[in-house]
Amino acid sequence: MGCAELLAGTIRVILFGLNFCTLLAGGVLLGCGVYVKISVSEFTDVDDISAIDVAAYFLIALGCLVVVLSLFGCLGACLQSHVLLAFYFTLMLLLLLLQIAIGILYAVKRKEIEKQIDEAVKKTIENFGDGTSSADQAVEAIQDLLECCGYESKKDYPILVQVSLPSSCCPGDPTTCSSMNAYSDGCKTKINQFLGSQSVLVIVVVCSVGLLEILTMVAACYLRRRELSGSNELPHSY
């Protein structure tokens, strides 16, 4: 019995700690979603911002789900309530199924999603202005970080802009950046190269998160079963 109590206490502490960290992460996701939604009005030079709206609402919904899920986990572990642990297990199962569904949806709609992203980014570059808008600054930041120009190439910019490209299209900090001394690679190539180099890391992270979710579900089942077995001796325990 002593070992069983020690094991249950250890699992309870680990479950609470994991869910407390997840609660903080959910708050960050929720805050990011609200920030994106508030900031979306600044992209006035982009005609179609529905994708940004969808991303904002997705972050808000995901943040709320993670916060609620973590609260059930923390309270269930602290209060030793089999009801809360049952809710926690159910929500964890739904979250796991949702992640699998999103993965399948992305695999099926990958080409269509990539096409929409290509069109949106190209349109943003074609509408590049004087570099003061939020969309222009985002383009410049990406080009400067990845050392690229345009999405597929520097030819994505209108002919008139190619005479004097954004300074982020050229190495260093030139006074004038033209197509003659601009980066030859487009940002799409650089992004694909970066994602390809990080593919192993992404797979490891995704598998680790999935395994962690399964382990927390197993821990919740163990604690709930233990609380239910204890309720036979303590009829008024909830």
Side-chain angles (χ1 to χ4, degrees):
M1 292 296 292
C3 292
E5 289 290 343
L6 179 62
L7 177 61
T10 303
I11 292 177
R12 192 174 293 113
V13 171
I14 293 175
L15 187 62
F16 175 82
L18 289 175
N19 281 280
F20 183 76
C21 294
T22 307
L23 178 65
L24 297 179
V28 172
L29 284 174
L30 182 59
C32 288
V34 173
Y35 175 77
V36 171
K37 180 58 184 173
I38 294 175
S39 302
V40 73
S41 59
E42 298 179 6
F43 290 85
T44 54
D45 52 344
V46 181
D47 295 332
D48 186 10
I49 57 175
S50 59
I52 303 177
D53 271 328
V54 170
Y57 286 126
F58 176 77
L59 287 174
I60 293 173
L62 183 60
C64 291
L65 177 61
V66 171
V67 167
V68 173
L69 180 66
S70 302
L71 283 175
F72 275 118
C74 289
L75 293 176
C78 288
L79 301 177
Q80 304 179 31
S81 169
H82 64 85
V83 176
L84 292 177
L85 289 171
F87 274 115
Y88 174 74
F89 176 85
T90 303
L91 290 175
M92 281 296 297
L93 181 60
L94 291 175
L95 180 61
L96 187 61
L97 294 176
L98 178 61
Q99 291 170 343
I100 295 174
I102 291 174
I104 295 174
L105 180 63
Y106 175 75
V108 173
K109 298 286 187 178
R110 180 178 178 181
K111 296 295 182 181
E112 182 179 343
I113 293 173
E114 290 179 351
K115 182 179 178 181
Q116 292 178 355
I117 293 175
D118 290 348
E119 292 175 353
V121 176
K122 283 184 178 179
K123 194 168 188 179
T124 302
I125 291 176
E126 289 173 358
N127 294 333
F128 191 88
D130 56 2
T132 57
S133 67
S134 298
D136 291 353
Q137 291 175 5
V139 170
E140 293 233 50
I142 293 173
Q143 290 181 156
D144 186 56
L145 177 65
L146 299 178
E147 297 183 348
C148 55
C149 186
Y151 188 56
E152 294 185 343
S153 70
K154 53 191 174 185
K155 294 181 180 179
D156 290 336
Y157 285 99
I159 298 296
L160 294 177
V161 178
Q162 291 183 31
V163 178
S164 180
L165 291 167
S167 59
S168 57
C169 274
C170 294
D173 191 15
T175 305
T176 303
C177 179
S178 65
S179 58
M180 297 296 293
N181 57 342
Y183 294 116
S184 58
D185 291 332
C187 293
K188 182 179 181 180
T189 302
K190 292 283 189 175
I191 292 173
N192 289 337
Q193 290 175 353
F194 174 77
L195 293 178
S197 65
Q198 302 297 320
S199 58
V200 176
L201 178 61
V202 171
I203 293 174
V204 170
V205 170
V206 171
C207 292
S208 299
V209 171
L211 179 61
L212 182 62
E213 290 174 347
I214 294 174
L215 289 176
T216 54
M217 290 170 63
V218 172
C221 281
Y222 174 80
L223 292 176
R224 181 176 182 273
R225 184 175 180 181
R226 183 174 179 80
E227 297 303 328
L228 284 175
S229 64
S231 65
N232 294 328
E233 301 176 3
L234 299 172
H236 298 289
S237 175
Y238 294 95

